[in-house]
Amino acid sequence: MVQKYQSPVRVYKHGFELIMAAYERRFPTCHLIPMFVGSDIMNEYISEDGAVHVVERRCKLDVDAPRLLKKIAGVDYVYFIQKNSLNRRERTLHIEAHNETFASRIVVHEYCCYTVHPDNDDWTCFEQSASLDIKSFFGFESTVEKIAMKQYTSNIKKGKEIIEYYLKQMEEEGITYLPRWVPVTKQQQELQTSTSVHSVSPAQNIPTITSSDGQSSRDALSSSSPPESLSSTPDDKLDADYIKRYLGDLTPLQESCLIRLRQWLQETHKGKIPKDEHILRFLRARDFNIDKARELMCQSLTWRKQHQVDYLLSTWNPPQVLQDYYAGGWHHHDSDGRPLYLLRLGQMDTKGLVRALGEESLLRHVLSINEEGLRRCEENTKIFGRPISSWTCLVDLEGLNMRHLWRPGVKALLRIIEVVETNYPETLGRLLILRAPRVFPVLWTLVSPFIDENTRKKFLVYAGNDYQGPGGLIDYIDKEVIPDFLGGECMCDVPEGGLVPKALYRTPEELESEDIRLWTETIYQSASVFKGAPHEIFIQIVDASSVITWDFDVCKGDIVFNIYHSKRAPQVPKRDTLGAHGITSPVGNNVQLIDKAWQLGRDYSMVESPLTCKEGESVQGSHVTRWPGFYILQWKFHSMPACATSSLPRVDDVLASLQVSSHKCKVMYYTEIIGSEDFRGSMTSLESSHSGFSQLSAATTTSSQSHSSSMVSREPLPLSESMLPSLTHPQDLKSCPDGLLRLSPSFWGQHFSTLYTLRPPVFLRWPPSWRLPFIREAVGTTAIETEGSDSS
């Protein structure tokens, strides 16, 4: 397995030239990095003006490995080749490094980049990435991988310390500024004027070192993306100082996992990137295993999207019964600054609440509490100036008895725990259970199997009044905020609970109806896709040039998305009786509309190129209709093509034939028809129609690479004169300011098929030499109307 590393952006608040001078002092050896023994220059190139300096070095490393492993390998030192490319004019340094030793068994690549900060010319940015692929190593592959990652992580952590060490050393020598590079001709004039200054001035002396040893220094420390990516999209990258300030102290490998998972989300979940704190919670919940964290988070994002959880705080109004009898509420914060939630479970009538409200209402209320907790964590992070990503829950069990172990109530509690554990991992910092009675072990036996092991480690249980002594409540909550019902002096307005009047109880039928309403209260629908049985929906279009928008998530499996048009009405939907099993909906459906007797090209036609979507992807897009009629949106099972060199059936095909009814794929979708006059591009249009894009993102990013998203071109495209004679409809072109013409969707679809991926509307520049005679006119009207133009 290939191990990868991607660093955040490290910002040095010093000029590029000063940072380069600090790096130069590391070479040829550095006492701060004992493993770096030395280096030799293999090739060197300097441009005529001195702006470009490329150095290739052979670096000697003494890897800290067991003596037995070194003896088996037959080497004492490991050699790396580093190519250092410095451009003083552009103020960039790129480094590429790869291993020379054991190159056929182990492949190591490292890339670094130093560049000027995009917002401040006096600051310097640094990034690096690396990959390690161990193909074979005498049966010690696992050991070598651990040694390599340990060594690399250690060097990464030392990188910033080394720079700061040499910067401080230079400051003690009186070197706090170095001028920017100027062409060689000017430097020569300065040298001719005063050669003595050259030997005394540290600002001139250090660049001289740069042209000799300085190149290799940057080699050893750097590696990564080109400067264009940093300067053009700074918001897409995480800064090391930002991580420390808002996310906490992470190891280099943990930072790498966060950045790589975030990049994957930017590529697949177009328009809805969760906040970094949210991504980090899922990584922590899976011990920074990217694959496991990605799977869990994708399921949670789909769940949030379908049930509109992002809008819960603004849309959920707790019923009066909850306000009166739910004994829980927020209360200041603990001694670590975490929001503090109090729950007087022993005083709460769980049976009465379930009988009066139903399971779904209780679940929705608990979800709103968790959403409020996330919001309070963000606020406390700003208030206390340190990362706060979880809250503390204090549960008072005084009054807990067998009544609380009522089976439907325990069932509701277990479901709430399951949903919260799945979708709010690592949000509970500490759980303090006070005044636990004798019946508590029975309740713990029932619920503990459903609680994650990492979460269970955060539980502290106190029986009786043990919480009042040393090691008790005072160690975790400031004395001033201990609530009055626990012997403190702080008045608490959390409801006291009590028995819910039986007059408020509802019948099982009413509760079931309410639960179904809350569960299905969403703009999204779920569908099952089987091999040989696609899911299809049809949309009837009366007015041409309408816009069909869609927003769907691939919850399971890989699918192919198609759009067809037919003048014939599809057959009556035949619903599949098979049940779907997923986290987002208790039921599933599969509808097929295209009659098997229909022929593609005769009875219906394809209007969009097929779009293959992988599991976990989120797709938003739109299609501008050219004709009235029936449009069919199809989600089809994606089967990988069989090997061309083999006629044997694939394993998947055999299993599919044996288990025809097995659930293969699952999608969750939402579609909407938008008038052409209201269409503003797929992303903004869907947002305006409340399509449920995630609000977890503070700054939502929209991908410009989506094959299915409509967009407006940033630059006007030239319109050739050969296209104009084909205009036959007066609505095809509309004049716009600054000599720009706007093409109608119908004209675009007919005449610009070669540029179809850009999607309408697109603005084209109208050459000043063009006049109305170039355009064929429709009967009675002109094809183009412009201010001051003739109507003839």
Side-chain angles (χ1 to χ4, degrees):
M1 181 178 178
V2 180
Q3 293 286 347
K4 295 183 178 180
Y5 171 78
Q6 174 64 56
S7 77
V9 179
R10 183 180 298 161
V11 179
Y12 297 100
K13 297 183 179 180
H14 298 277
F16 179 80
E17 291 72 22
L18 196 65
I19 294 296
M20 292 296 100
Y23 273 126
E24 292 163 9
R25 300 201 172 199
R26 288 189 43 191
F27 290 84
T29 59
C30 177
H31 70 279
L32 298 176
I33 309 180
M35 68 175 294
F36 186 67
V37 179
S39 59
D40 299 318
I41 296 178
M42 300 173 60
N43 298 299
E44 185 172 11
Y45 165 78
I46 302 177
S47 63
E48 293 183 1
D49 60 357
V52 178
H53 189 176
V54 180
V55 177
E56 192 171 7
R57 292 181 176 272
R58 189 170 187 259
C59 301
K60 184 179 180 181
L61 305 179
D62 183 11
V63 179
D64 184 15
R67 184 178 302 176
L68 175 62
L69 189 60
K70 287 187 175 182
K71 185 172 289 187
I72 293 174
V75 298
D76 291 326
Y77 299 101
V78 176
Y79 291 90
F80 272 74
I81 305 299
Q82 293 181 336
K83 183 179 180 181
N84 210 20
S85 303
L86 173 66
N87 189 322
R88 294 188 177 92
R89 179 184 292 107
E90 300 293 335
R91 304 179 78 195
T92 60
L93 174 66
H94 294 277
I95 300 100
E96 299 181 17
H98 66 274
N99 62 308
E100 181 185 59
T101 308
F102 304 118
S104 61
R105 296 178 178 273
I106 303 174
V107 180
V108 179
H109 286 289
E110 185 182 25
Y111 305 92
C112 297
C113 174
Y114 293 92
T115 186
V116 178
H117 193 283
D119 299 325
N120 192 326
D121 290 343
D122 295 328
W123 291 358
T124 305
C125 294
F126 166 74
E127 288 184 80
Q128 74 183 102
S129 63
S131 64
L132 169 67
D133 185 9
I134 301 178
K135 301 182 181 298
S136 64
F137 201 83
F138 313 106
F140 292 91
E141 290 80 11
S142 177
T143 303
V144 172
E145 180 178 325
K146 292 179 181 178
I147 293 174
M149 296 305 294
K150 180 180 178 181
Q151 292 278 352
Y152 193 71
T153 303
S154 177
N155 291 339
I156 292 171
K157 293 180 68 175
K158 288 182 178 179
K160 189 173 183 179
E161 298 175 5
I162 294 171
I163 288 297
E164 292 174 348
Y165 172 83
Y166 286 119
L167 286 173
K168 185 176 181 181
Q169 188 181 81
M170 294 170 62
E171 184 179 356
E172 292 173 352
E173 297 174 6
I175 306 173
T176 57
Y177 171 78
L178 290 178
R180 297 185 184 182
W181 175 87
V182 291
V184 174
T185 54
K186 294 183 180 180
Q187 290 181 346
Q188 291 174 345
Q189 291 176 0
E190 294 174 0
L191 290 174
Q192 292 174 358
T193 303
S194 176
T195 57
S196 59
V197 177
H198 179 273
S199 59
V200 176
S201 171
Q204 297 289 344
N205 189 21
I206 290 176
T208 304
I209 300 174
T210 303
S211 62
S212 57
D213 288 353
Q215 316 315 316
S216 64
S217 68
R218 298 156 216 149
D219 293 318
L221 262 164
S222 38
S223 68
S224 180
S225 53
E228 299 82 29
S229 61
L230 180 64
S231 59
S232 60
T233 56
D235 294 336
D236 293 340
K237 302 190 177 183
L238 295 183
D239 180 272
D241 293 334
Y242 158 80
I243 291 178
K244 187 175 182 179
R245 167 64 178 82
Y246 292 99
L247 304 180
D249 290 323
L250 304 178
T251 67
L253 294 182
Q254 289 174 345
E255 291 177 341
S256 175
C257 290
L258 172 63
I259 294 169
R260 288 164 56 199
L261 183 53
R262 188 175 184 266
Q263 289 175 344
W264 181 86
L265 286 167
Q266 288 175 329
E267 294 171 359
T268 58
H269 282 63
K270 305 172 182 65
K272 55 166 201 176
I273 307 302
K275 291 180 180 178
D276 301 317
E277 306 95 288
H278 199 71
I279 300 174
L280 187 58
R281 289 188 182 100
F282 284 92
L283 283 169
R284 284 173 171 156
R286 290 299 178 264
D287 296 323
F288 287 88
N289 184 307
I290 291 183
D291 294 333
K292 293 181 179 180
R294 178 171 55 208
E295 180 181 3
L296 181 64
M297 185 168 60
C298 286
Q299 292 176 351
S300 179
L301 290 176
T302 302
W303 171 82
R304 295 182 67 90
K305 188 174 182 179
Q306 182 176 21
H307 297 295
Q308 309 279 309
V309 179
D310 295 327
Y311 305 100
L312 196 57
L313 290 180
S314 59
T315 59
W316 170 248
N317 294 316
Q320 191 63 41
V321 178
L322 276 175
Q323 299 179 35
D324 296 337
Y325 297 100
Y326 189 88
W330 294 98
H331 180 78
H332 298 282
H333 55 79
D334 68 2
S335 55
D336 294 324
R338 297 190 186 103
L340 178 62
Y341 188 81
L342 305 182
L343 181 63
R344 306 185 67 178
L345 185 59
Q347 304 296 319
M348 196 155 57
D349 181 11
T350 54
K351 180 178 181 179
L353 289 174
V354 173
R355 293 288 299 273
L357 295 170
E359 186 176 309
E360 295 304 320
S361 291
L362 280 175
L363 173 60
R364 184 159 293 202
H365 186 61
V366 173
L367 295 181
S368 69
I369 293 173
N370 280 270
E371 290 296 303
E372 175 66 17
L374 293 176
R375 189 187 66 79
R376 287 174 177 262
C377 285
E378 292 183 13
E379 290 182 353
N380 285 17
T381 296
K382 299 176 182 178
I383 293 173
F384 292 98
R386 62 177 183 271
I388 296 175
S389 60
S390 59
W391 57 81
T392 294
C393 184
L394 189 154
V395 181
D396 179 22
L397 295 183
E398 185 183 41
L400 187 74
N401 53 46
M402 294 302 294
R403 177 184 175 87
H404 292 86
L405 302 182
W406 178 58
R407 185 173 180 179
V410 173
K411 175 177 173 290
L413 176 61
L414 294 179
R415 179 157 179 264
I416 290 173
I417 291 175
E418 181 182 11
V419 172
V420 172
E421 281 283 299
T422 303
N423 299 284
Y424 298 92
E426 295 298 318
T427 52
L428 181 64
R430 185 180 294 117
L431 181 65
L432 303 172
I433 300 177
L434 308 183
R435 301 196 281 195
R438 292 182 178 180
V439 74
F440 172 71
V442 180
L443 178 62
W444 178 251
T445 302
L446 293 174
V447 301
S448 60
F450 295 87
I451 301 175
D452 183 76
E453 182 179 356
N454 291 334
T455 305
R456 290 201 299 266
K457 294 177 182 178
K458 303 172 184 177
F459 284 38
L460 295 174
V461 182
Y462 298 91
N465 294 324
D466 292 347
Y467 69 92
Q468 295 179 346
L473 198 59
I474 194 67
D475 289 358
Y476 306 104
I477 301 177
D478 294 338
K479 186 176 180 180
E480 310 83 64
V481 299
I482 295 179
D484 53 347
F485 63 85
L486 292 176
E489 300 179 355
C490 184
M491 297 301 296
C492 180
D493 56 0
V494 173
E496 296 183 359
L499 295 177
V500 178
K502 292 186 177 181
L504 300 177
Y505 285 11
R506 302 170 72 182
T507 64
E509 292 76 15
E510 291 175 332
L511 292 176
E512 182 179 1
S513 175
E514 178 69 11
D515 286 351
I516 292 176
R517 184 188 68 80
L518 291 175
W519 184 262
T520 58
E521 194 177 63
T522 173
I523 61 175
Y524 291 89
Q525 300 182 50
S526 295
S528 302
V529 180
F530 303 92
K531 187 169 185 178
H535 177 72
E536 298 163 344
I537 62 173
F538 81 93
I539 299 173
Q540 185 174 4
I541 297 296
V542 178
D543 299 325
S545 300
S546 297
V547 183
I548 302 174
T549 62
W550 58 80
D551 176 15
F552 67 85
D553 288 81
V554 184
C555 307
K556 183 178 180 180
D558 299 341
I559 61 101
V560 177
F561 179 64
N562 289 298
I563 304 180
Y564 301 100
H565 172 265
S566 176
K567 295 180 180 180
R568 300 172 54 182
Q571 62 182 358
V572 178
K574 297 179 180 179
R575 293 189 176 275
D576 194 341
T577 57
L578 298 174
H581 303 282
I583 64 165
T584 57
S585 177
V587 295
N589 62 78
N590 177 268
V591 179
Q592 299 177 56
L593 300 172
I594 299 177
D595 195 299
K596 293 183 178 180
W598 284 14
Q599 292 185 9
L600 185 63
R602 187 191 68 181
D603 301 293
Y604 66 108
S605 59
M606 181 181 294
V607 296
E608 285 273 358
S609 300
L611 179 66
T612 302
C613 307
K614 301 294 183 181
E615 180 175 330
E617 288 190 351
S618 178
V619 180
Q620 299 88 36
S622 57
H623 173 76
V624 181
T625 61
R626 293 169 54 189
W627 314 280
F630 299 91
Y631 286 80
I632 302 173
L633 276 59
Q634 180 193 76
W635 290 268
K636 185 178 180 180
F637 177 79
H638 176 60
S639 57
M640 298 299 293
C643 180
T645 60
S646 174
S647 60
L648 296 176
R650 298 187 306 114
V651 175
D652 290 347
D653 296 334
V654 175
L655 293 177
S657 63
L658 295 176
Q659 292 182 319
V660 178
S661 63
S662 63
H663 177 68
K664 287 294 182 182
C665 301
K666 186 178 180 68
V667 296
M668 185 186 74
Y669 64 91
Y670 166 72
T671 62
E672 183 181 4
I673 310 301
I674 299 178
S676 58
E677 66 277 3
D678 299 324
F679 182 62
R680 303 198 304 266
S682 63
M683 294 303 301
T684 54
S685 294
L686 286 175
E687 286 175 349
S688 66
S689 59
H690 308 291
S691 69
F693 285 132
S694 176
Q695 290 183 328
L696 286 174
S697 173
T700 300
T701 57
T702 303
S703 171
S704 61
Q705 305 297 326
S706 174
H707 294 291
S708 59
S709 297
S710 300
M711 53 187 296
V712 177
S713 63
R714 295 177 181 271
E715 295 294 334
L717 300 177
L719 182 63
S720 63
E721 297 188 10
S722 61
M723 291 294 180
L724 256 65
S726 61
L727 288 173
T728 57
H729 300 289
Q731 70 273 19
D732 279 337
L733 286 178
K734 295 181 180 179
S735 61
C736 297
D738 302 326
L740 296 182
L741 298 180
R742 182 174 183 175
L743 274 71
S744 69
S746 60
F747 177 81
W748 179 263
Q750 293 172 11
H751 303 291
F752 287 83
S753 58
T754 56
L755 299 176
Y756 195 67
T757 54
L758 290 177
R759 298 290 192 277
V762 171
F763 291 90
L764 307 182
R765 187 167 297 284
W766 180 15
S769 60
W770 289 1
R771 295 294 182 265
L772 289 180
F774 282 100
I775 303 172
R776 182 183 303 170
E777 300 176 1
V779 178
T781 58
T782 57
I784 301 180
E785 294 181 359
T786 58
E787 185 177 356
S789 65
D790 296 332
S791 60
S792 57

